[in-house]
């Protein structure tokens, strides 16, 4: 599908507005499309309706497959839920689906619950989906009860689906107007049967970023890397090791992460390209682990929102009884961004932070030592000023992606069970904001956090310089492609590129990643466009009130577990939360099932009365050292006690007399 950065799109429009043709043009570049037909066949004598259906069928290419859900409205959610990540679905349309939903044959039916199920299925759908729906809210209120029921139900469905989709477009008289987000990157490729006017309209309203590549990107290595010259790989940095605790219930030497796929290789090394088939977490283990929590022997209501930690660990470990992460590695990415992106940053500050971490000093190193985590400082390529030129060359992007993948491979081979991603480079927040603006349609000022000086003051002038740098970079690249690698080259820089490769490599090796900060979330946005499975291996402990993190987390479907509002540096915030997450997993793994649920109500596990001598309740409970039997105790010597004053006495109410 040629809507970069989004997996789900809702196309709204009135009757004969061209909405179906526009939706079909969005999926025209997909190799295989599954067309989900929702409209009923109608009256056999209604020739006009039959002609409409025949016209729709004639426009579909022969490579498309058709699936009908007219027999059962609830089946649409099942179709979306079972779709594979490499599939593309076109659902046309929700008006027909609501018509079947309100059919007396399916009454009484809870249409509100069915619409909610559909919206949830769209949010969790792994495939790319385009949904078509008529917009009837602009007409008069129908005069019949059935007409009002239809418009009300369809309006509710459109609102729920629009909220669940990544992008929404309204087609009026053949003219698409993007509603969510306001400036998407979209290309409407014409189909063979589309009218000339619709093709011309689609091309006119395509985002400028889809035009021919700029000179800066010309001649770069393509996705296959077949014509690229071999690029020497950078030596992996040293790992500062701390002895991690041994995970319970884990046999020594048993790897948690193993190779799960055979990726294409060429002379230059690993090929990282869009559409990679990476593994998904176990879809059954997570819900089973959360259900098991309700049976544990705890005095209160349970773990609250932290049950998501148990579900995540269970899914990524592939068991309903997950254990706490024993071996943890922190990857600290150090790469500066030149130009206005680093406005307000003290020169050499990032290098000082990296040297501090290597020496085992500073907040991040101390927290890593407390958690028993190893620390690896990774120097990434410095990024050029993005407002005037590409941040990296195409070859640097390829090398950085492979380097990040190798870091994840190295960690998995060492038995690491959890990766924590951090960054300390200058200008990282502005680079992450530029990536979010390009991939999620965000406005730079809304995702750029305030600039805080070393003295704790807010530097508004530096913040405005950063905003201007991101704005100018987006303007410079307005006619450049918005593919994942192009975004990394033009805007992201070395740290985001290495982080992206690391997320993809960790996904391939089934190693979960704890994200923390703008660089990690920006890499999550880019890696999703290369392999949508990667976001399911990521966990976000806290958003730290950072606007870019909050927006990216919302797009990626990552709900922060905590709201501590920490700002200790990217990576350190996650390490603060790590002991709590480990404790939750250890508690969930160690607690037994409540006796009332297991059928074991006897304290000793038998149905027989307890045996042994009856306890003598007249005897004291403690007879150890220092104990004196009152029968043989010597009387206290008579005499005046310690001197006390009236002011020393404390009334029982807690008030002090005086």
């Amino acid at each position: 599908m040629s809507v970069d950065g989004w997996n789900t799109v809702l196309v709204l429009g009135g009757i004969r507005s061209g909405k179906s043709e526009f939706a079909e043009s969005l999926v025209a570049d997909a190799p295989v499309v599954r067309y989900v037909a929702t409209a009923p066949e109608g009256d056999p004598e209604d020739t006009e309706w039959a002609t409409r259906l025949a016209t729709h069928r004639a426009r579909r290419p022969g490579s498309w497959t058709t699936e009908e859900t007219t027999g059962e409205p609830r089946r649409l959610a099942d179709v979306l839920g079972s779709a594979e990540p490499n599939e593309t679905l076109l659902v046309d349309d929700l008006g027909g689906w609501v018509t079947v939903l309100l059919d007396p044959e399916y009454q009484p039916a809870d249409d509100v619950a069915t619409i909610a199920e559909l919206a949830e299925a769209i949010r969790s759908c792994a495939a790319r989906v385009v949904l078509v729906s008529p917009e009837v809210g602009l007409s008069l209120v129908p005069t019949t009860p059935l007409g009002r029921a239809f418009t009300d139900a369809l309006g509710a469905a459109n609102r729920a689906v629009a909220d669940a989709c990544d992008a929404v477009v309204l087609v009026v008289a053949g003219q698409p107007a993007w509603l969510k987000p306001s400036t998407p990157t979209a290309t409407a490729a014409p189909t063979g049967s589309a009218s000339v006017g619709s093709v011309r309209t689609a091309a006119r309203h395509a985002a400028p970023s889809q035009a021919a590549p700029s000179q800066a990107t010309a001649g770069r290595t393509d996705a296959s890397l077949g014509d690229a010259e071999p690029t020497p790989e950078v030596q992996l940095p040293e790992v500062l090791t701390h002895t991690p605790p041994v995970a319970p219930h884990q046999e020594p030497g048993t790897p948690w992460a193993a190779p799960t796929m055979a990726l294409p290789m060429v002379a230059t090394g690993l090929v990282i390209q869009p559409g990679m088939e990476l593994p998904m977490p176990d879809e059954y283990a997570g819900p089973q682990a959360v259900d098991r929590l309700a049976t544990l022997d705890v005095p209160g209501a349970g773990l609250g929102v932290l049950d998501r930690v148990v579900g995540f660990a269970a899914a990524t470990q592939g068991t309903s009884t997950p254990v706490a992460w024993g071996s943890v590695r922190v990857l600290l990415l150090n790469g500066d961004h030149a130009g206005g992106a680093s406005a307000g940053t003290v020169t050499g500050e990032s290098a000082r932070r990296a040297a501090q971490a290597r020496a085992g000093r500073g907040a991040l190193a101390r927290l890593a030592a407390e958690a028993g985590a190893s620390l690896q400082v990774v120097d990434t390529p410095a990024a050029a000023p993005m407002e005037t030129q590409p941040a990296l060359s195409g070859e640097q992007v390829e090398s950085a992606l492979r380097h990040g993948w190798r870091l994840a491979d190295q960690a998995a081979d060492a038995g690491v069970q959890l990766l924590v991603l951090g960054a300390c480079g200058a200008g990282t927040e502005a680079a992450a904001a530029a990536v979010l603006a390009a991939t999620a349609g965000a406005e730079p000022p809304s995702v750029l956090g305030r600039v805080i000086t070393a003295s704790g003051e807010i530097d508004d002038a530096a913040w405005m310089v950063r905003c201007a740098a991101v704005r100018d970079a987006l303007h410079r690249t307005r006619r450049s492609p918005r593919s994942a690698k192009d975004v990394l080259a033009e805007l992201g820089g070395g740290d985001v590129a290495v982080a992206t490769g690391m997320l993809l490599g960790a996904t391939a090796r089934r190693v979960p990643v704890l994200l923390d900060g703008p660089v990690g979330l920006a890499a999550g946005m880019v890696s999703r466009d290369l392999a949508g499975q990667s976001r399911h291996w990521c966990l976000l402990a806290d958003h730290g009130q950072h606007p870019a993190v909050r927006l990216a987390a919302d797009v990626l479907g990552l709900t922060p577990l905590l709201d501590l509002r920490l700002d200790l540096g990217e990576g350190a915030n996650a390490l603060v939360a790590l002991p709590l997450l480990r404790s939750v997993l250890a508690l969930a793994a160690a607690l037994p099932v409540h006796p009332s649920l297991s059928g074991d109500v006897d304290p000793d596990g038998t149905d027989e009365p307890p045996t042994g001598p009856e306890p003598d309740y007249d005897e004291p409970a403690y007879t150890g050292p220092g104990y004196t039997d009152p029968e043989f105790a010597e009387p206290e010597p008579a005499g005046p006690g310690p001197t006390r004053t009236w002011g020393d006495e404390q009334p029982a109410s807690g008030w002090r007399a005086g």
Side-chain angles (χ1 to χ4, degrees):
M1 186 177 68
S2 50
V3 178
D4 294 339
W6 294 278
N7 278 342
T8 52
V9 181
L10 173 62
V11 180
L12 297 169
I15 299 173
R16 297 294 191 184
S17 63
K19 60 183 182 300
S20 294
E21 292 181 2
F22 182 80
E24 291 165 6
S25 69
L26 292 179
V27 299
D29 59 347
V32 178
V33 176
R34 180 150 47 123
Y35 186 96
V36 183
T38 62
E41 289 294 335
D43 189 351
E45 298 181 359
D46 190 347
T47 57
E48 192 273 337
W49 179 251
T51 302
R52 282 174 178 259
L53 296 180
T55 303
H56 275 261
R57 294 190 183 102
R59 283 204 308 262
R60 303 171 201 165
S63 60
W64 290 14
T65 60
T66 302
E67 184 166 352
E68 296 185 355
T69 62
T70 56
E72 174 54 55
R74 291 180 178 272
R75 187 166 167 269
L76 179 57
D78 297 334
V79 170
L80 296 175
S82 61
E84 298 295 331
N86 60 341
E87 287 189 283
T88 300
L89 275 63
L90 174 57
V91 181
D92 194 359
D93 67 0
L94 295 184
W97 180 76
V98 170
T99 300
V100 178
L101 180 63
L102 298 180
D103 193 306
E105 180 181 350
Y106 303 102
Q107 299 298 324
D110 189 351
D111 54 297
V112 176
T114 307
I115 292 172
E117 291 175 3
L118 175 62
E120 186 59 33
I122 294 171
R123 287 190 179 93
S124 60
C125 183
R128 296 201 168 189
V129 184
V130 175
L131 303 103
V132 182
S133 184
E135 177 54 63
V136 297
L138 303 179
S139 62
L140 298 175
V141 177
T143 58
T144 63
L146 184 58
R148 289 192 294 270
F150 174 78
T151 54
D152 290 346
L154 183 57
N158 285 346
R159 291 182 60 179
V161 172
D163 183 67
C165 284
D166 300 327
V168 181
V169 58
L170 175 65
V171 180
V172 181
Q175 311 298 312
W178 291 92
L179 307 180
K180 174 190 175 183
S182 57
T183 55
T185 300
T187 301
T191 61
S193 59
S195 65
V196 176
S198 65
V199 174
R200 198 171 290 141
T201 297
R204 183 166 61 252
H205 288 270
S209 61
Q210 291 296 328
S214 63
Q215 295 180 357
T217 61
R220 291 183 185 170
T221 306
D222 60 10
S224 67
L225 297 180
D227 300 327
E229 292 296 328
T231 303
E233 298 291 351
V234 183
Q235 184 67 27
L236 292 176
E238 177 188 3
V239 180
L240 309 177
T241 58
H242 304 282
T243 304
V246 179
H249 312 298
Q250 177 106 5
E251 293 295 332
T254 302
W256 277 42
T260 58
M261 57 175 293
L263 290 170
M265 305 289 290
V266 294
T268 54
L270 175 70
V271 176
I272 298 178
Q273 57 190 6
M276 293 186 296
E277 290 298 326
L278 301 184
M280 285 282 289
D282 192 320
E283 61 179 324
Y284 300 107
Q288 289 172 357
V290 174
D291 292 342
R292 178 179 170 273
L293 295 178
T295 67
L296 298 183
D297 187 10
V298 293
L303 298 174
V305 297
L306 293 178
D307 61 0
R308 296 200 298 267
V309 180
V310 179
F312 174 81
T316 53
Q317 295 178 23
T319 174
S320 60
T321 55
V323 297
W325 302 295
S327 178
V328 179
R329 178 171 295 180
V330 183
L331 295 179
L332 180 64
L333 307 181
N334 175 36
D336 291 343
H337 297 256
S342 59
T345 305
V346 178
T347 304
E349 178 66 11
S350 60
R352 185 182 74 85
R353 294 290 183 190
Q356 197 179 51
R358 287 190 177 97
R361 301 190 305 270
L364 183 70
R366 292 182 181 275
L367 288 170
E370 288 290 333
S374 61
L375 175 60
Q376 191 171 9
V377 181
V378 182
D379 291 323
T380 64
M386 60 180 171
E387 60 268 37
T388 59
Q389 64 188 94
L392 296 177
S393 67
E395 290 76 12
Q396 286 179 309
V397 170
E398 297 289 354
S399 178
L401 287 172
R402 290 196 297 269
H403 187 52
W405 189 296
R406 291 176 60 228
L407 289 170
D409 263 342
Q410 183 194 47
D413 292 340
V416 171
Q417 300 160 2
L418 178 70
L419 285 169
V420 179
L421 186 57
C424 65
T428 56
E429 293 188 2
V435 171
L436 285 176
T439 57
E443 290 294 333
S446 66
V447 290
L448 265 175
R450 308 303 292 269
V451 180
I452 308 297
T453 64
S455 59
E457 299 177 347
I458 297 176
D459 190 344
D460 286 333
W463 178 81
M464 288 187 286
V465 172
R466 294 186 184 185
C467 288
V470 176
R471 177 204 62 198
D472 293 344
L474 294 174
H475 180 74
R476 178 183 62 80
T477 61
R478 66 192 183 279
R479 299 188 183 279
S480 301
R482 283 290 189 258
S483 67
K485 293 183 180 180
D486 286 305
V487 169
L488 291 175
E490 296 287 355
L491 307 170
D495 47 5
V496 180
V498 171
T500 301
M502 189 276 293
L503 290 180
L504 296 172
T507 301
R509 297 298 300 270
R510 299 181 180 272
V511 179
V513 181
L514 188 58
L515 298 180
D516 179 19
V519 170
L521 272 297
M525 295 289 294
V526 178
S527 64
R528 185 191 67 165
D529 291 340
L530 291 169
Q533 303 88 350
S534 60
R535 65 188 179 94
H536 297 283
W537 294 87
C538 298
L539 185 67
L540 180 61
D542 190 2
H543 53 62
Q545 293 296 311
H546 197 288
V549 174
R550 300 182 74 163
L551 173 65
D554 183 61
V555 174
L556 293 172
L558 300 177
T559 303
L561 299 169
L562 307 172
D563 187 11
L564 302 179
R565 304 184 183 184
L566 296 175
D567 192 11
L568 298 174
E570 190 162 345
N573 304 318
L575 289 176
V576 170
L578 181 59
L580 174 62
L581 307 184
R582 276 174 162 170
S583 299
V584 168
L585 292 176
L587 187 66
L591 284 178
V593 176
H594 195 278
S596 64
L597 299 176
S598 64
D600 183 11
V601 294
D602 294 330
D604 59 357
T606 68
D607 292 332
E608 302 296 331
T611 59
E614 291 289 335
D616 185 0
Y617 295 103
D618 293 332
E619 294 182 0
Y622 174 74
T623 57
Y627 169 75
T628 302
D629 194 322
E631 182 177 351
F632 303 101
E634 297 182 1
E636 295 184 2
T643 304
R644 299 181 62 187
T645 62
W646 180 81
D648 291 333
E649 297 180 2
Q650 295 293 335
S653 64
W655 287 74
R656 182 179 179 88

